[in-house]
Amino acid sequence: MKNLDRQIKATLLQYVPKLLLFALVVCMLLLSACGSLTQGGNSQGTGASTVVPTPSVDPALQNQGNAQLRTFGQWITLMQKYNGNVSTYRQQYTSDQQALQHATSNTSYKSALVMLNEHVQAIQIPAMKAESASLQQQLQQEVTNWGKKHTYHDDYDNTTYPMGFEYGPNGIGGWIQDELSSAKTIADYQQAIEDLNMYLTNFQAYMTNTTDKTPYDQSHQTDTQLLQHYQMMDTKVIVVSLEEQAMRVYNQGKLVKSFQATTGRPDKPTPPGTWWVEGKKSPTVFKADVPQSSPYWYPDTPINYAIQFHSNGYFVHDSWWRADYGPGTQFPHQDSSGDSFSSQGSHGCVNISKEDAGWVYSYVVIYTHIVIY
């Protein structure tokens, strides 16, 4: 019996190392599996190793988009200010804004930005059309209303003329209509808007100056205000007051000389605006560009001093055939000279005496400013 016990113990001792090794291997496998399960659980919980991060949009692109969106909004506001229809552009603005906000990559953001840029480009001419149309209407209304209330009754031909006719359809009003009719590009409309604002500024000065009783040969407040507005206080400037039929010459904002003048007749008005000396001729000969049958024909006329201020044939020049200058001479009248060509205003030029024209000719240089209001 004892021998049997020893034999069983010996056999058990023989398998103990193998059992221990087997148990160790099983434990290691179990631990490995547990670790794997634990690691897998963590990765699914944090998303650190299995989910691709969302792409970010370049901040520089975002700044560009925000700037363009603001620009689009400014164009819409401008168009609305001048009573333009902005409903379509508001919808585009909202769509562009959402597209930029929802873009998740540079590629999608750039695509949305391209569309926004196209919308900004598309609104510019319609917005400027609305602005120019509104400004044109404002000028027409102001000139018409003023002309109805302020007239000049001419005893010479028993006709009543509206004052400020230089800004009406025969004058600058017709010019701006032609300018807008031919406008096609953004630059064309920008120039038309700039011109309209200039005409409105000068017409306001014209109306204001009519209540100023300061003599023509003294500095006028409206002159100074215009020089300040156009930043011409530090240079030479010729100022022509259409209502006064007077010319005043300034340097550094100070009055230097003053003259009476005769400007364009109602059907051939002198153009108000801000111009400059484009050329000088002394002497020269003016020749009519119409047939002799035209009421605007005149014989070849020698001119002593001619100062061109607009390329369409507008000059400050001497009119030696006239004897009278000053208020009313732009309308039909009996000139003291008795010359039939002196009984009307000019064809649009600014006429002054030979002596005065000689002084002005010597004083001005190319690009000297000429403000007519």
Side-chain angles (χ1 to χ4, degrees):
M1 189 69 168
K2 290 182 180 179
N3 291 333
L4 179 60
D5 290 340
R6 290 192 188 97
Q7 187 177 358
I8 292 171
K9 289 178 180 179
T11 301
L12 290 173
L13 289 172
Q14 181 181 356
Y15 285 98
V16 164
K18 294 181 180 180
L19 289 171
L20 290 172
L21 180 60
F22 176 78
L24 181 60
V25 171
V26 170
C27 287
M28 291 179 65
L29 289 173
L30 288 173
L31 289 172
S32 176
C34 290
S36 178
L37 288 172
T38 302
Q39 184 179 6
N42 288 340
S43 65
Q44 291 177 0
T46 61
S49 61
T50 59
V51 178
V52 178
T54 302
S56 60
V57 178
D58 187 346
L61 269 180
Q62 291 179 329
N63 290 337
Q64 186 178 349
N66 291 334
Q68 274 296 74
L69 206 58
R70 285 193 298 271
T71 299
F72 196 10
Q74 290 167 352
W75 278 109
I76 292 172
T77 300
L78 176 69
M79 191 169 182
Q80 187 175 28
K81 175 182 177 181
Y82 293 104
N83 303 314
N85 187 347
V86 298
S87 57
T88 298
Y89 300 109
R90 285 193 178 282
Q91 293 172 3
Q92 292 175 347
Y93 179 93
T94 301
S95 176
D96 291 334
Q97 186 181 45
Q98 292 175 348
L100 293 177
Q101 290 174 346
H102 296 159
T104 58
S105 67
N106 286 342
T107 300
S108 60
Y109 198 92
K110 286 179 180 179
S111 179
L113 191 54
V114 167
M115 182 60 68
L116 171 58
N117 290 337
E118 290 178 358
H119 290 159
V120 171
Q121 287 294 321
I123 194 178
Q124 292 181 19
I125 286 183
M128 286 190 288
K129 277 185 178 181
E131 181 177 3
S132 58
S134 179
L135 293 174
Q136 182 189 24
Q137 183 180 25
Q138 180 185 347
L139 179 63
Q140 289 175 341
Q141 288 178 344
E142 289 184 6
V143 172
T144 300
N145 293 339
W146 176 265
K148 288 179 180 179
K149 297 178 181 179
H150 301 82
T151 58
Y152 177 87
H153 182 74
D154 193 341
D155 293 332
Y156 181 80
D157 64 355
N158 196 30
T159 302
T160 299
Y161 297 92
M163 294 300 291
F165 61 83
E166 295 90 350
Y167 293 86
N170 287 335
I172 221 64
W175 285 27
I176 198 63
Q177 181 59 58
D178 292 341
E179 189 174 0
L180 290 174
S181 297
S182 62
K184 293 182 175 62
T185 67
I186 291 174
D188 292 338
Y189 282 102
Q190 286 175 331
Q191 185 62 58
I193 290 168
E194 181 179 332
D195 291 343
L196 277 161
N197 282 314
M198 173 182 66
Y199 301 143
L200 283 164
T201 296
N202 285 26
F203 186 60
Q204 181 61 56
Y206 175 97
M207 293 187 291
T208 301
N209 193 57
T210 59
T211 61
D212 189 345
K213 303 307 179 183
T214 304
Y216 82 91
D217 57 353
Q218 296 181 21
S219 178
H220 280 231
Q221 185 177 2
T222 46
D223 295 357
T224 302
Q225 289 171 343
L226 285 172
L227 298 187
Q228 291 172 340
H229 177 80
Y230 292 120
Q231 299 181 358
M232 298 177 182
M233 291 294 289
D234 59 349
T235 186
K236 295 180 178 180
V237 187
I238 293 176
V239 175
V240 177
S241 169
L242 296 168
E243 188 267 336
E244 297 175 83
Q245 291 293 285
M247 174 186 294
R248 290 182 283 272
V249 181
Y250 290 86
N251 188 16
Q252 305 291 323
K254 304 296 183 181
L255 182 64
V256 178
K257 280 274 191 177
S258 55
F259 316 103
Q260 288 191 313
T262 295
T263 61
R265 61 189 72 177
D267 49 347
K268 285 283 187 177
T270 298
T274 56
W275 317 112
W276 58 85
V277 175
E278 296 180 358
K280 300 167 61 179
K281 296 179 182 179
S282 177
T284 188
V285 176
F286 284 179
K287 299 182 178 183
D289 57 359
V290 294
Q292 191 168 350
S293 59
S294 170
Y296 303 120
W297 179 86
Y298 55 88
D300 291 357
T301 305
I303 301 295
N304 297 283
Y305 306 102
I307 303 165
Q308 182 170 323
F309 65 87
H310 196 286
S311 56
N312 288 341
Y314 292 93
F315 292 81
V316 172
H317 66 82
D318 64 289
S319 51
W320 47 263
W321 56 93
R322 296 185 187 276
D324 303 330
Y325 300 90
T329 57
Q330 72 271 43
F331 300 107
H333 64 282
Q334 180 62 55
D335 190 82
S336 300
S337 67
D339 189 305
S340 60
F341 287 99
S342 303
S343 64
Q344 299 274 353
S346 76
H347 290 170
C349 292
V350 178
N351 290 179
I352 50 180
S353 72
K354 179 181 176 180
E355 180 183 358
D356 294 343
W359 185 93
V360 174
Y361 188 92
S362 299
Y363 188 75
V364 302
V365 295
I366 303 300
Y367 299 123
T368 294
H369 296 291
I370 299 180
V371 177
I372 301 176
Y373 75 97

